[in-house]
Amino acid sequence: MSSALPEYYFRVRDNGALVFRIDTGNRHRRIEMEQIAVVNVRNGEVKPQGGRALTPADRAEIDRWVAERRLLLEAREVDDILRTVDHLNQTAQWAQSRASAEELDLVGDALLLAMHDLRTVLVRKKADRLLKDE
């Protein structure tokens, strides 16, 4: 672990984070974390906590973190979809080579409905893009 701690800590939660200012310069040499804000990544809303006003440095660091977090979440979303494609391929192989009749009965309808729904959405979106390009 590095001896130099960052000035801010972001505790990630659904749709955002709690923002803490790190203080190590106290007389007890303890790490103190003071919550200064709550951030919503989706809409960019920043709510100061404890009746305080955020400094320009606070706001700049929060804005930087939000921008980085959005990029990370976008990359993860695409990666998750690509993993889903792999999983669908593995599921097809399982259904063809190893699944018992009972297992297929257990998951078959749910898979068929989910794949039908996905196919419908993908075809509609592709048709909309093609019509828009014309």
Side-chain angles (χ1 to χ4, degrees), residues 7 15-17 33 51 56 62 68 74 80 107-108 116-117 119 123 128:
E7 190 173 343
N15 301 325
M33 296 173 42
I62 291 169
E68 284 183 8
E74 288 173 18
D80 286 346
V107 299
H116 176 74
D117 182 35
R119 183 184 183 284
V123 168
D128 290 347

Side-chain angles (χ1 to χ4, degrees), residues 39-89:
V39 180
N40 184 315
V41 172
R42 282 196 186 146
N43 64 17
E45 183 179 24
V46 177
K47 293 181 183 176
Q49 298 294 296
R52 73 180 42 82
L54 298 175
T55 68
D58 294 338
R59 189 59 200 227
E61 184 62 19
I62 291 169
D63 291 344
R64 182 201 62 75
W65 182 87
V66 167
E68 284 183 8
R69 184 70 180 169
R70 284 179 176 162
L71 289 173
L72 176 65
L73 293 174
E74 288 173 18
R76 283 183 181 169
E77 186 173 38
V78 170
D79 188 55
D80 286 346
I81 299 304
L82 293 172
R83 287 175 195 254
T84 299
V85 172
D86 287 348
H87 206 95
L88 283 169
N89 286 321

